[in-house]
Amino acid sequence: MPRKFIDCREMPSESNCSVALSADTDQELLDAAVQHAVAVHTHQDSPELRQEIKKHFKEGTPPVERPRA
Ligand SMILES: [Zn+2]
């Protein structure tokens, strides 16, 4: 199973967050990303948030360089 990641640098955010998370399964990644979104970005945990986060999942590992927004 390919590793998945989500990179906060690709998200529009006022805080210029540079955190990237990676995991072997969607479930682990989703849980970590939701916790991050709630704790750092003050989102509410909801099915809509989880759907939105899943759209940003990518295969592989986070790039070293900051991606273009
Ligand atoms: Zn973030």
Side-chain angles (χ1 to χ4, degrees), residues 32-66:
V34 167
Q35 285 168 23
H36 173 76
V38 170
V40 178
H41 299 287
T42 63
H43 287 297
Q44 296 281 339
D45 187 353
S46 67
E48 292 74 29
L49 177 69
R50 286 168 181 262
Q51 273 306 323
E52 190 59 34
I53 286 173
K54 275 189 186 171
K55 283 190 210 159
H56 294 277
F57 284 7
K58 302 229 168 87
E59 289 192 359
T61 52
V64 174
E65 297 294 328
R66 173 180 284 264

Side-chain angles (χ1 to χ4, degrees), residues 8 12 14-15 17 37 39 45 47 63:
C8 240
E14 60 294 331
S15 58
C17 183
D45 187 353

Side-chain angles (χ1 to χ4, degrees), residues 8-35:
C8 240
R9 294 175 298 187
E10 291 183 10
M11 313 278 189
S13 98
E14 60 294 331
S15 58
N16 255 335
C17 183
S18 66
V19 167
L21 300 162
S22 61
D24 285 344
T25 68
D26 280 9
Q27 192 56 54
E28 285 175 304
L29 184 54
L30 186 60
D31 285 343
V34 167
Q35 285 168 23

